[in-house]
Amino acid sequence: RFIACPQLARTVQRCLQSGTGPGPQPVLLEFAPGPGVLTRTLLNAGVKVVALESNSVFLPNLQSLENSLDGQLKVIYGDFFRLDPLVSGTLKPPAMCSDKLFETMGLAAVPWMADVPVKVFGILPQKKERNMLWRLLFALYECNSIYRYGRVELNLFISEKEYKVLTAKPGEPRAYQALTVLWQLGCEIQLLHMEPWSSFVTNLKNGGLWIPKSVFLPNDHLCLVRLTPQQNLFTGGLKPTNGTTFIFMVKQCLAKPKSRLTDRLHSWSLDDAGKLLRQLEIPRKAQARDLYPEDYKHLFEALQNSNLFIETWFHDEALESIRNIN
């Protein structure tokens, strides 16, 4: 899928350049640009672009455009959805390591508290959408993959139903999930634009556009969403070294959103669950879906003082969760 409408390309270009202050602008990494409708619009606006394309059909035209410019465009053969796969041995292109990608882009890592070093733009394919959102979350909380290089900003077209999940409020049935808590805590989430599905070239099925069905949440648009990692994410007890454990804790709590938090804590063999909740000013009868993202972070930090998160079974479950996502 890619942007085929020049008018939409201009809208996206304006969105991507919004909110940028004076001074040097970060490089924009566009993945899966396809025929390059947006790429040319960005170049005409003076944006420096790195195009990461995995389809060899589109590479010749993109490379021809690269050769006609004086360093404003760099074309790389690679697949954003196959960065840093959990495999041994040499990677077969278009799979690649993020280290190789950033080396080719000519970019070095910057401290987490520094400004955004790179902006990423692309459209998440529907069949991989949920999986990619989880993979990016694990990379974010571990400061791994693209996040080894700093607070990389994502500008992604995602389905309206997933946008509703990412921005849901506590207590909302079906929408408020572990994905909600982790993205809201990890990133500033900003809606830049909503566009009907018909503006995109996508898979054809039975002669029409293939649009994922959604029973409980609206899904009439693709939403351009900006996800900027929080500078203060790794404060207190949350660190890249235990980020995976925190993700697993949130997933476990919200696996049954209506369950009482005390029941979940007791299932982890925590005897003084009531006392802990009182210290955190969380009602004893609170359900998992009632807690705000910040509450989950405070709960995790409080549990660091116990021996709960050093037990082997917990780490084994967390590692298995990572393998399943990858």
Side-chain angles (χ1 to χ4, degrees):
R1 184 188 301 109
F2 48 80
I3 293 174
C5 173
Q7 182 178 353
L8 175 57
R10 289 191 292 270
T11 298
V12 172
Q13 170 253 312
R14 290 192 293 269
C15 290
L16 293 177
Q17 290 188 289
S18 66
T20 56
Q25 302 300 312
V27 174
L28 191 139
L29 172 65
E30 181 189 8
F31 65 80
V37 175
L38 175 62
T39 311
R40 288 174 170 80
T41 304
L42 292 167
L43 294 170
N44 291 337
V47 180
K48 187 174 182 180
V49 180
V50 174
L52 184 65
E53 179 56 64
S54 61
N55 192 331
S56 58
V57 173
F58 299 118
L59 282 174
N61 285 338
L62 290 170
Q63 290 167 340
S64 177
L65 181 60
E66 177 186 21
N67 294 334
S68 69
L69 299 170
D70 187 20
Q72 190 185 356
L73 171 66
K74 181 183 288 291
V75 178
I76 301 174
Y77 177 51
D79 190 343
F80 185 76
F81 306 110
R82 296 174 66 189
L83 282 178
D84 305 306
L86 293 181
V87 295
S88 58
T90 304
L91 294 180
K92 182 178 180 181
M96 67 187 311
C97 294
S98 54
D99 290 348
K100 179 64 175 178
L101 172 61
F102 277 76
E103 178 185 343
T104 306
M105 293 169 64
L107 296 175
V110 301
W112 187 259
M113 299 299 288
D115 291 335
V116 169
V118 179
K119 290 188 173 188
V120 176
F121 169 79
I123 305 170
L124 294 189
Q126 294 307 296
K127 291 183 178 180
K128 297 181 179 180
E129 184 178 40
R130 176 58 69 101
N131 184 269
M132 278 304 300
L133 288 172
W134 274 113
R135 285 194 66 190
L136 289 166
L137 266 180
F138 275 103
L140 171 64
Y141 278 87
E142 295 173 341
C143 276
N144 205 352
S145 189
I146 60 174
Y147 295 106
R148 281 199 297 266
Y149 293 82
R151 293 186 305 114
V152 174
E153 176 189 286
L154 301 176
N155 298 268
L156 305 175
F157 267 114
I158 64 176
S159 65
E160 186 175 359
K161 63 183 177 68
E162 290 295 1
Y163 169 69
K164 293 296 185 182
V165 169
L166 262 58
T167 56
K169 301 298 182 185
E172 290 185 12
R174 303 188 185 278
Y176 196 71
Q177 304 171 17
L179 207 64
T180 313
V181 169
L182 294 165
W183 275 113
Q184 288 188 16
L185 188 65
C187 289
E188 177 186 351
I189 303 173
Q190 181 182 0
L191 177 64
L192 302 179
H193 182 68
M194 296 180 69
E195 187 72 20
W197 284 86
S198 56
S199 297
F200 299 86
V201 174
T202 185
N203 296 328
L204 294 179
K205 187 176 183 180
N206 298 326
L209 290 173
W210 182 76
I211 301 174
K213 293 182 180 180
S214 178
V215 178
F216 302 105
L217 297 172
N219 198 35
D220 299 320
H221 303 80
L222 280 178
C223 298
L224 180 55
V225 179
R226 175 171 290 162
L227 301 165
T228 309
Q230 302 281 8
Q231 281 186 319
N232 64 350
L233 176 59
F234 299 110
T235 56
L238 182 60
K239 298 176 176 61
T241 52
N242 60 26
T244 300
T245 305
F246 175 66
I247 290 176
F248 181 68
M249 185 201 80
V250 174
K251 290 183 70 176
Q252 283 280 291
C253 288
L254 284 163
K256 296 181 178 180
K258 295 182 180 180
S259 64
R260 290 187 179 183
L261 198 59
T262 50
D263 295 337
R264 174 56 64 187
L265 293 175
H266 286 145
S267 74
W268 292 339
S269 302
L270 190 70
D271 297 329
D272 56 350
K275 180 181 177 181
L276 178 63
L277 294 182
R278 284 195 301 273
Q279 291 174 347
L280 297 174
E281 298 182 349
I282 297 173
R284 185 178 180 86
K285 295 183 178 181
Q287 296 180 349
R289 64 179 182 179
D290 295 331
L291 271 64
Y292 283 85
E294 293 79 9
D295 294 329
Y296 276 106
K297 185 178 181 183
H298 294 154
L299 175 62
F300 179 74
E301 290 170 345
L303 289 171
Q304 294 300 298
N305 297 324
S306 72
N307 293 324
L308 177 64
F309 291 139
I310 64 172
E311 292 185 11
T312 303
W313 72 268
F314 205 97
H315 278 284
D316 288 345
E317 292 284 351
L319 291 174
E320 183 62 26
S321 180
I322 295 175
R323 284 192 289 268
N324 289 339
I325 291 296
N326 279 278

